Amino acid sequence: MDDLAISEGFSVYGQYRTWYRVTGDLGSARLPLVVAHGGPGCTHDYVDSFKDIAGFGRAVIHYDQIGNGRSTHLPDKGGDFWTVEFFLGELDALLAHLGIKERYALLGQSWGGMLAAEHAVRRPSGLKALVLANSLASMKLWVEGAGQLRAELPAAVRQALDRHEADGTTDHPDYLSATRAFYDRHVCRVVPWPAEVERTFAAIDADPTVYHTMNGPNEFHVVGTMRDWTIIDRLPLIEAPTLAFRGFFDEATPACVQPFLDQVPTVEGHVFPLSSHMPHVEERQDCMAVTEAFLARHD
């Protein structure tokens, strides 16, 4: 990786700036890969490992979505501002700024996959390959799956979650500790969490505007503006070849992913057997190999 070109910059979207980093050569004959992080309200840090794919001769673009990381922060904006349409526009602006909108691949992880699917159903001519990583086709399915996983937690953990959600005290240390018990099973099973994962969660704590507005206080108590989101009925519109993967222990349960496998016309699926929500961290080498093999078939 040390001999790969790395450049950083900002694209402009309205009054705001989007930070991005390019690893590798945008002039390569291989499809450049744009990586959309999750949340909504995370940063690029926890999906940083996808830069490994640049080692195959493919440019990899990471970016921090507006409201997060090194991009413009807007802590005073509310739910009417933070919309899917806003982030779709930001992605379009980034593709145009980089000069790749006529030919690119897009990988979206978790919420990034929701965004990527929303992008793909518009059938942009330049989208040549789509990767839906640990994502979901419906928030209803996500919440149902989270409920099933919660039911498998130890009784004391479940009781702490239920009690503090009922009391509206989701910032209580006992609630946060119980949340971490869920995360260690179904978000990232590498203990302790790698530094890049810690950086993303620290960034959410520092500015939770987008995450709390669109999602909620955590991954399984979804009370934000995205709580009724679904794309199931629009999935047949996707034209790009698609890879949808998840981890065996993933909070993105099989039911969350199944509509992609059932409804996207050209799709293949994969399950990483040792991973939860972050196979790019938990089974890094295998995740990169599976992702690159798919992309290489569509260069």
Side-chain angles (χ1 to χ4, degrees):
M1 295 291 295
D2 293 340
D3 57 352
L4 290 172
I6 300 174
S7 61
E8 298 182 13
F10 292 90
S11 64
V12 176
Y13 179 44
Q15 307 169 54
Y16 317 117
R17 301 206 309 169
T18 300
W19 173 88
Y20 67 85
R21 183 191 69 208
V22 180
T23 306
D25 180 11
L26 278 176
S28 168
R30 294 176 179 256
L31 285 170
L33 175 65
V34 178
V35 179
H37 65 69
C42 290
T43 65
H44 80 283
D45 297 88
Y46 82 100
V47 286
D48 185 67
S49 59
F50 283 108
K51 68 187 179 186
D52 293 358
I53 289 176
F56 294 98
R58 183 185 312 284
V60 178
I61 300 98
H62 284 82
Y63 74 105
D64 284 337
Q65 294 158 26
I66 290 169
N68 311 290
R70 304 178 192 182
S71 297
T72 302
H73 284 244
L74 298 162
D76 296 328
K77 297 293 188 182
D80 58 338
F81 181 85
W82 302 112
T83 64
V84 170
E85 289 72 25
F86 177 82
F87 289 108
L88 287 172
E90 179 191 27
L91 176 57
D92 286 343
L94 176 65
L95 295 170
H97 175 83
L98 294 171
I100 60 173
K101 66 178 182 178
E102 301 305 325
R103 186 175 176 274
Y104 59 95
L106 177 61
L107 183 152
Q109 201 278 336
S110 196
W111 143 255
M114 298 159 66
L115 182 64
E118 289 274 8
H119 179 78
V121 298
R122 299 186 305 164
R123 297 180 170 179
S125 60
L127 179 62
K128 305 303 182 186
L130 176 68
V131 182
L132 303 173
N134 318 97
S135 196
L136 56 146
S138 154
M139 195 62 84
K140 179 177 182 288
L141 293 175
W142 175 272
V143 171
E144 288 174 354
Q148 294 164 4
L149 296 176
R150 273 180 69 152
E152 299 170 4
L153 293 169
V157 175
R158 298 197 311 270
Q159 291 163 7
L161 294 173
D162 293 343
R163 181 173 65 254
H164 289 290
E165 286 171 6
D167 293 345
T169 51
T170 55
D171 56 351
H172 192 281
D174 289 349
Y175 184 81
L176 299 179
S177 177
T179 298
R180 182 60 182 258
F182 180 95
Y183 283 21
D184 284 344
R185 286 189 178 199
H186 301 298
V187 177
C188 182
R189 294 169 71 86
V190 177
V191 179
W193 284 353
E196 65 270 23
V197 176
E198 291 281 11
R199 285 198 302 273
T200 282
F201 280 95
I204 296 174
D205 289 343
D207 183 357
T209 304
V210 181
Y211 189 70
H212 285 182
T213 300
M214 297 182 73
N215 185 80
N218 57 49
E219 293 292 272
F220 47 81
H221 188 45
V222 180
V223 293
T225 57
M226 294 294 290
R227 61 187 177 275
D228 296 321
W229 176 88
T230 182
I231 200 169
I232 292 175
D233 60 341
R234 293 175 285 149
L235 290 175
L237 294 171
I238 295 178
E239 294 179 332
T242 301
L243 169 65
F245 67 69
R246 59 179 296 274
F248 181 80
F249 302 98
D250 208 326
E251 59 179 342
T253 60
C256 290
V257 178
Q258 194 62 42
F260 297 138
L261 304 179
D262 291 341
Q263 301 291 334
V264 177
T266 306
V267 65
E268 54 192 89
H270 187 85
V271 177
F272 291 95
L274 305 179
S275 294
S276 58
H277 200 50
M278 300 187 186
H280 57 277
V281 172
E282 297 159 299
E283 294 179 76
R284 180 169 177 165
Q285 188 171 355
D286 286 350
C287 184
M288 299 308 136
V290 168
T291 303
E292 170 57 27
F294 167 75
L295 295 174
R297 292 197 292 276
H298 302 290
D299 277 327

